[in-house]
Amino acid sequence: MKSTYRCSLTFLAFLCILKVCELCSNVRGSRAFKVVAEGSSLQLSCEVLHCGVTGWTGGWAFREMPTTEFTFLTPSERIVLSNYSSTANSTHLLVNIHNINQSDAGAYRCMITWPGQSTSPGHVTNVTVTAAAVDSSGRNLSHRVLLCLSAAMCFPLVLGLVWCLTPSPPPVPPRSYTSFAARGKQKKELVYAEVTLNKSRRQNDCPKQVPEATVYSSVHFS
């Protein structure tokens, strides 16, 4: 009975040691699919659980489709590799890729080699690179400029239409420059005339008294 109990304890201790060793020699990460546009940036991170063990090597590796082998990334003007320790038992490995292009499409993963020559590959992150995104701010600016130019071109046309559709005022009759004297001559005049008949036989007779009247003209017959 005691021997069975001891064997159980030994087995449990061995399992614990294996579990601790597994946790302390592992790369923590998750599978992911990322879609990025050309010209943008990409940042990836993985966590190496080493429990303070030194001497391990490795980093981020890349596999270009359709190849099957991973090659380690090296720093360049576009690729920046860095790391930091969050705790005494783990270290985060970072990769930043600037100005993404189609050659950066493929699979990325962390690959660590331990002092005992064992390896721990991390989960794969598949990256797809699409065409460059259209700059919305620039497009909005071009649209605004186009609208302003269209409005400036349409304004004279609108003014012309308004001028054409507005009814013209009636013509002003010409003024008459006829003199007042000429106007007076056009009127009909009433002429009073006195006719006097003088005969020899009535020369001595007294003329008949008539009331004086306004004479405008006089005609005498003898």
Side-chain angles (χ1 to χ4, degrees), residues 16 20 24 27 29 44 56 60 69-70 76 81 104 112 121 148 150 155 160 165-166 170 178-179 187 192 199 213 216:
C16 291
V20 170
C24 290
V27 178
L44 301 175
W56 56 272
W60 277 97
E69 295 183 359
F70 282 88
S76 65
L81 300 176
D104 298 316
I112 303 301
C148 292
S150 300
F155 184 72
L165 296 178
T166 302
T178 306
S179 63
K187 295 182 179 180
Y192 296 91
K199 294 183 179 180
Y216 293 93

mmCIF file of all heavy atoms in Angstrom, residues 16 20 24 27 29 44 56 60 69-70 76 81 104 112 121 148 150 155 160 165-166 170 178-179 187 192 199 213 216:
data_model
loop_
_atom_site.group_PDB
_atom_site.id
_atom_site.type_symbol
_atom_site.label_atom_id
_atom_site.label_comp_id
_atom_site.label_asym_id
_atom_site.label_seq_id
_atom_site.Cartn_x
_atom_site.Cartn_y
_atom_site.Cartn_z
ATOM 1 N N CYS A 16 4.158 17.197 -12.730
ATOM 2 C CA CYS A 16 4.312 18.624 -12.408
ATOM 3 C C CYS A 16 5.584 19.195 -12.992
ATOM 4 O O CYS A 16 5.623 20.321 -13.493
ATOM 5 C CB CYS A 16 4.281 18.823 -10.899
ATOM 6 S SG CYS A 16 2.651 18.510 -10.168
ATOM 7 N N VAL A 20 5.756 22.173 -15.624
ATOM 8 C CA VAL A 20 6.540 23.385 -15.393
ATOM 9 C C VAL A 20 7.544 23.589 -16.507
ATOM 10 O O VAL A 20 7.747 24.703 -17.004
ATOM 11 C CB VAL A 20 7.225 23.323 -14.023
ATOM 12 C CG1 VAL A 20 8.231 24.455 -13.883
ATOM 13 C CG2 VAL A 20 6.180 23.375 -12.913
ATOM 14 N N CYS A 24 7.705 26.667 -19.008
ATOM 15 C CA CYS A 24 8.919 27.483 -19.012
ATOM 16 C C CYS A 24 9.714 27.364 -20.283
ATOM 17 O O CYS A 24 10.765 28.001 -20.413
ATOM 18 C CB CYS A 24 9.798 27.080 -17.818
ATOM 19 S SG CYS A 24 9.103 27.585 -16.229
ATOM 20 N N VAL A 27 6.365 29.167 -26.342
ATOM 21 C CA VAL A 27 6.089 30.452 -27.000
ATOM 22 C C VAL A 27 4.583 30.645 -27.008
ATOM 23 O O VAL A 27 3.847 29.817 -27.547
ATOM 24 C CB VAL A 27 6.650 30.478 -28.428
ATOM 25 C CG1 VAL A 27 6.301 31.812 -29.101
ATOM 26 C CG2 VAL A 27 8.151 30.258 -28.416
ATOM 27 N N GLY A 29 1.243 32.479 -28.032
ATOM 28 C CA GLY A 29 0.699 33.299 -29.111
ATOM 29 C C GLY A 29 -0.588 32.687 -29.620
ATOM 30 O O GLY A 29 -1.030 31.641 -29.140
ATOM 31 N N LEU A 44 3.661 42.889 -35.058
ATOM 32 C CA LEU A 44 3.369 41.553 -34.522
ATOM 33 C C LEU A 44 4.138 41.359 -33.215
ATOM 34 O O LEU A 44 5.229 41.923 -33.040
ATOM 35 C CB LEU A 44 3.758 40.467 -35.529
ATOM 36 C CG LEU A 44 3.070 40.524 -36.900
ATOM 37 C CD1 LEU A 44 3.651 39.467 -37.832
ATOM 38 C CD2 LEU A 44 1.565 40.354 -36.763
ATOM 39 N N TRP A 56 18.757 30.929 -24.613
ATOM 40 C CA TRP A 56 17.863 30.612 -25.735
ATOM 41 C C TRP A 56 18.048 31.634 -26.854
ATOM 42 O O TRP A 56 18.444 32.776 -26.637
ATOM 43 C CB TRP A 56 16.394 30.564 -25.266
ATOM 44 C CG TRP A 56 15.933 31.841 -24.584
ATOM 45 C CD1 TRP A 56 16.031 32.162 -23.277
ATOM 46 C CD2 TRP A 56 15.318 32.955 -25.227
ATOM 47 N NE1 TRP A 56 15.524 33.410 -23.025
ATOM 48 C CE2 TRP A 56 15.064 33.918 -24.209
ATOM 49 C CE3 TRP A 56 14.951 33.250 -26.534
ATOM 50 C CZ2 TRP A 56 14.469 35.134 -24.476
ATOM 51 C CZ3 TRP A 56 14.350 34.459 -26.800
ATOM 52 C CH2 TRP A 56 14.112 35.396 -25.773
ATOM 53 N N TRP A 60 11.552 36.240 -34.802
ATOM 54 C CA TRP A 60 10.487 36.169 -35.791
ATOM 55 C C TRP A 60 11.028 35.624 -37.104
ATOM 56 O O TRP A 60 12.086 36.014 -37.566
ATOM 57 C CB TRP A 60 9.879 37.548 -36.019
ATOM 58 C CG TRP A 60 8.843 37.914 -34.988
ATOM 59 C CD1 TRP A 60 9.021 38.665 -33.877
ATOM 60 C CD2 TRP A 60 7.480 37.498 -35.003
ATOM 61 N NE1 TRP A 60 7.851 38.746 -33.179
ATOM 62 C CE2 TRP A 60 6.870 38.055 -33.844
ATOM 63 C CE3 TRP A 60 6.697 36.718 -35.844
ATOM 64 C CZ2 TRP A 60 5.531 37.851 -33.534
ATOM 65 C CZ3 TRP A 60 5.364 36.521 -35.542
ATOM 66 C CH2 TRP A 60 4.784 37.086 -34.403
ATOM 67 N N GLU A 69 9.464 26.803 -46.187
ATOM 68 C CA GLU A 69 10.484 26.995 -45.166
ATOM 69 C C GLU A 69 10.436 28.418 -44.618
ATOM 70 O O GLU A 69 10.258 29.390 -45.349
ATOM 71 C CB GLU A 69 11.881 26.722 -45.741
ATOM 72 C CG GLU A 69 12.087 25.268 -46.157
ATOM 73 C CD GLU A 69 13.498 25.025 -46.639
ATOM 74 O OE1 GLU A 69 14.298 26.005 -46.658
ATOM 75 O OE2 GLU A 69 13.824 23.886 -47.003
ATOM 76 N N PHE A 70 10.617 28.527 -43.282
ATOM 77 C CA PHE A 70 10.673 29.812 -42.604
ATOM 78 C C PHE A 70 12.117 30.291 -42.533
ATOM 79 O O PHE A 70 13.029 29.507 -42.269
ATOM 80 C CB PHE A 70 10.104 29.707 -41.193
ATOM 81 C CG PHE A 70 8.591 29.696 -41.146
ATOM 82 C CD1 PHE A 70 7.896 28.498 -41.248
ATOM 83 C CD2 PHE A 70 7.873 30.875 -40.995
ATOM 84 C CE1 PHE A 70 6.522 28.474 -41.201
ATOM 85 C CE2 PHE A 70 6.499 30.865 -40.929
ATOM 86 C CZ PHE A 70 5.804 29.664 -41.039
ATOM 87 N N SER A 76 16.206 45.959 -40.980
ATOM 88 C CA SER A 76 16.489 46.767 -42.164
ATOM 89 C C SER A 76 15.813 48.126 -41.984
ATOM 90 O O SER A 76 15.311 48.452 -40.903
ATOM 91 C CB SER A 76 15.989 46.056 -43.434
ATOM 92 O OG SER A 76 14.573 45.945 -43.409
ATOM 93 N N LEU A 81 13.172 45.054 -35.362
ATOM 94 C CA LEU A 81 13.006 43.980 -34.385
ATOM 95 C C LEU A 81 13.376 44.507 -33.005
ATOM 96 O O LEU A 81 14.396 45.176 -32.841
ATOM 97 C CB LEU A 81 13.892 42.781 -34.738
ATOM 98 C CG LEU A 81 13.636 42.130 -36.108
ATOM 99 C CD1 LEU A 81 14.661 41.023 -36.370
ATOM 100 C CD2 LEU A 81 12.225 41.564 -36.186
ATOM 101 N N ASP A 104 5.743 41.415 -48.722
ATOM 102 C CA ASP A 104 5.618 41.107 -47.300
ATOM 103 C C ASP A 104 4.442 40.182 -46.997
ATOM 104 O O ASP A 104 4.238 39.804 -45.835
ATOM 105 C CB ASP A 104 5.450 42.404 -46.494
ATOM 106 C CG ASP A 104 6.654 43.319 -46.629
ATOM 107 O OD1 ASP A 104 7.782 42.807 -46.552
ATOM 108 O OD2 ASP A 104 6.459 44.532 -46.811
ATOM 109 N N ILE A 112 11.850 29.628 -31.401
ATOM 110 C CA ILE A 112 12.836 29.717 -30.317
ATOM 111 C C ILE A 112 13.584 28.390 -30.211
ATOM 112 O O ILE A 112 12.988 27.304 -30.278
ATOM 113 C CB ILE A 112 12.161 30.038 -28.976
ATOM 114 C CG1 ILE A 112 11.359 31.338 -29.103
ATOM 115 C CG2 ILE A 112 13.185 30.157 -27.859
ATOM 116 C CD1 ILE A 112 12.156 32.542 -29.488
ATOM 117 N N PRO A 121 8.212 26.361 -31.805
ATOM 118 C CA PRO A 121 7.638 27.286 -32.790
ATOM 119 C C PRO A 121 6.310 27.849 -32.287
ATOM 120 O O PRO A 121 5.505 27.141 -31.669
ATOM 121 C CB PRO A 121 7.432 26.401 -34.024
ATOM 122 C CG PRO A 121 7.223 25.032 -33.458
ATOM 123 C CD PRO A 121 8.027 24.949 -32.196
ATOM 124 N N CYS A 148 -16.422 74.023 -56.178
ATOM 125 C CA CYS A 148 -16.218 75.468 -56.265
ATOM 126 C C CYS A 148 -16.047 75.921 -57.711
ATOM 127 O O CYS A 148 -16.616 76.936 -58.132
ATOM 128 C CB CYS A 148 -15.003 75.878 -55.430
ATOM 129 S SG CYS A 148 -15.230 75.676 -53.641
ATOM 130 N N SER A 150 -17.194 74.408 -60.378
ATOM 131 C CA SER A 150 -18.481 74.247 -61.066
ATOM 132 C C SER A 150 -19.410 75.411 -60.745
ATOM 133 O O SER A 150 -20.105 75.929 -61.624
ATOM 134 C CB SER A 150 -19.117 72.918 -60.656
ATOM 135 O OG SER A 150 -18.274 71.829 -60.992
ATOM 136 N N PHE A 155 -22.341 80.380 -62.382
ATOM 137 C CA PHE A 155 -22.873 81.674 -61.951
ATOM 138 C C PHE A 155 -23.128 82.609 -63.129
ATOM 139 O O PHE A 155 -24.217 83.200 -63.223
ATOM 140 C CB PHE A 155 -21.916 82.305 -60.942
ATOM 141 C CG PHE A 155 -22.422 83.592 -60.361
ATOM 142 C CD1 PHE A 155 -23.475 83.591 -59.461
ATOM 143 C CD2 PHE A 155 -21.844 84.798 -60.721
ATOM 144 C CE1 PHE A 155 -23.946 84.772 -58.928
ATOM 145 C CE2 PHE A 155 -22.307 85.981 -60.184
ATOM 146 C CZ PHE A 155 -23.362 85.974 -59.288
ATOM 147 N N GLY A 160 -27.080 85.132 -67.028
ATOM 148 C CA GLY A 160 -27.542 85.303 -68.397
ATOM 149 C C GLY A 160 -28.968 84.841 -68.588
ATOM 150 O O GLY A 160 -29.770 85.485 -69.274
ATOM 151 N N LEU A 165 -34.760 86.049 -69.408
ATOM 152 C CA LEU A 165 -36.144 85.765 -69.038
ATOM 153 C C LEU A 165 -36.857 86.971 -68.441
ATOM 154 O O LEU A 165 -38.079 86.967 -68.316
ATOM 155 C CB LEU A 165 -36.186 84.599 -68.047
ATOM 156 C CG LEU A 165 -35.684 83.253 -68.589
ATOM 157 C CD1 LEU A 165 -35.725 82.200 -67.491
ATOM 158 C CD2 LEU A 165 -36.530 82.802 -69.774
ATOM 159 N N THR A 166 -36.145 88.017 -68.053
ATOM 160 C CA THR A 166 -36.779 89.204 -67.488
ATOM 161 C C THR A 166 -37.454 90.009 -68.590
ATOM 162 O O THR A 166 -36.817 90.348 -69.598
ATOM 163 C CB THR A 166 -35.731 90.078 -66.774
ATOM 164 O OG1 THR A 166 -35.093 89.299 -65.765
ATOM 165 C CG2 THR A 166 -36.382 91.303 -66.134
ATOM 166 N N PRO A 170 -41.891 98.635 -71.562
ATOM 167 C CA PRO A 170 -42.494 99.162 -72.797
ATOM 168 C C PRO A 170 -41.688 100.339 -73.326
ATOM 169 O O PRO A 170 -41.102 101.106 -72.561
ATOM 170 C CB PRO A 170 -43.897 99.586 -72.352
ATOM 171 C CG PRO A 170 -43.767 99.823 -70.881
ATOM 172 C CD PRO A 170 -42.758 98.822 -70.410
ATOM 173 N N THR A 178 -42.547 120.047 -81.452
ATOM 174 C CA THR A 178 -43.294 121.104 -82.159
ATOM 175 C C THR A 178 -43.461 122.309 -81.258
ATOM 176 O O THR A 178 -43.796 122.184 -80.086
ATOM 177 C CB THR A 178 -44.669 120.575 -82.582
ATOM 178 O OG1 THR A 178 -44.495 119.379 -83.325
ATOM 179 C CG2 THR A 178 -45.405 121.600 -83.426
ATOM 180 N N SER A 179 -43.236 123.495 -81.787
ATOM 181 C CA SER A 179 -43.322 124.724 -80.995
ATOM 182 C C SER A 179 -44.759 125.046 -80.656
ATOM 183 O O SER A 179 -45.705 124.568 -81.299
ATOM 184 C CB SER A 179 -42.691 125.885 -81.760
ATOM 185 O OG SER A 179 -43.411 126.130 -82.949
ATOM 186 N N LYS A 187 -55.094 125.250 -84.709
ATOM 187 C CA LYS A 187 -56.459 125.411 -84.217
ATOM 188 C C LYS A 187 -57.277 126.258 -85.197
ATOM 189 O O LYS A 187 -56.767 127.153 -85.834
ATOM 190 C CB LYS A 187 -56.431 126.074 -82.842
ATOM 191 C CG LYS A 187 -55.782 125.226 -81.778
ATOM 192 C CD LYS A 187 -55.847 125.925 -80.429
ATOM 193 C CE LYS A 187 -55.211 125.064 -79.351
ATOM 194 N NZ LYS A 187 -55.263 125.739 -78.021
ATOM 195 N N TYR A 192 -64.887 137.038 -87.153
ATOM 196 C CA TYR A 192 -66.075 137.898 -87.272
ATOM 197 C C TYR A 192 -65.772 138.991 -88.311
ATOM 198 O O TYR A 192 -64.701 139.603 -88.248
ATOM 199 C CB TYR A 192 -66.419 138.543 -85.926
ATOM 200 C CG TYR A 192 -66.822 137.524 -84.872
ATOM 201 C CD1 TYR A 192 -65.871 136.974 -84.032
ATOM 202 C CD2 TYR A 192 -68.158 137.164 -84.744
ATOM 203 C CE1 TYR A 192 -66.234 136.047 -83.076
ATOM 204 C CE2 TYR A 192 -68.521 136.239 -83.775
ATOM 205 C CZ TYR A 192 -67.580 135.690 -82.944
ATOM 206 O OH TYR A 192 -67.936 134.793 -81.993
ATOM 207 N N LYS A 199 -74.174 152.947 -100.757
ATOM 208 C CA LYS A 199 -74.741 153.369 -102.051
ATOM 209 C C LYS A 199 -74.952 154.885 -102.046
ATOM 210 O O LYS A 199 -75.136 155.503 -101.006
ATOM 211 C CB LYS A 199 -76.033 152.651 -102.307
ATOM 212 C CG LYS A 199 -75.840 151.155 -102.484
ATOM 213 C CD LYS A 199 -77.167 150.487 -102.820
ATOM 214 C CE LYS A 199 -76.988 149.005 -103.030
ATOM 215 N NZ LYS A 199 -78.234 148.359 -103.349
ATOM 216 N N ALA A 213 -68.775 146.213 -81.677
ATOM 217 C CA ALA A 213 -68.334 144.813 -81.531
ATOM 218 C C ALA A 213 -66.860 144.708 -81.848
ATOM 219 O O ALA A 213 -66.294 145.570 -82.525
ATOM 220 C CB ALA A 213 -69.130 143.905 -82.462
ATOM 221 N N TYR A 216 -62.421 141.841 -85.956
ATOM 222 C CA TYR A 216 -61.147 141.208 -86.246
ATOM 223 C C TYR A 216 -60.656 141.541 -87.645
ATOM 224 O O TYR A 216 -59.442 141.578 -87.893
ATOM 225 C CB TYR A 216 -61.251 139.697 -86.094
ATOM 226 C CG TYR A 216 -61.476 139.261 -84.647
ATOM 227 C CD1 TYR A 216 -62.744 139.072 -84.161
ATOM 228 C CD2 TYR A 216 -60.395 139.079 -83.797
ATOM 229 C CE1 TYR A 216 -62.952 138.719 -82.849
ATOM 230 C CE2 TYR A 216 -60.599 138.717 -82.471
ATOM 231 C CZ TYR A 216 -61.863 138.523 -81.998
ATOM 232 O OH TYR A 216 -62.083 138.141 -80.702
#
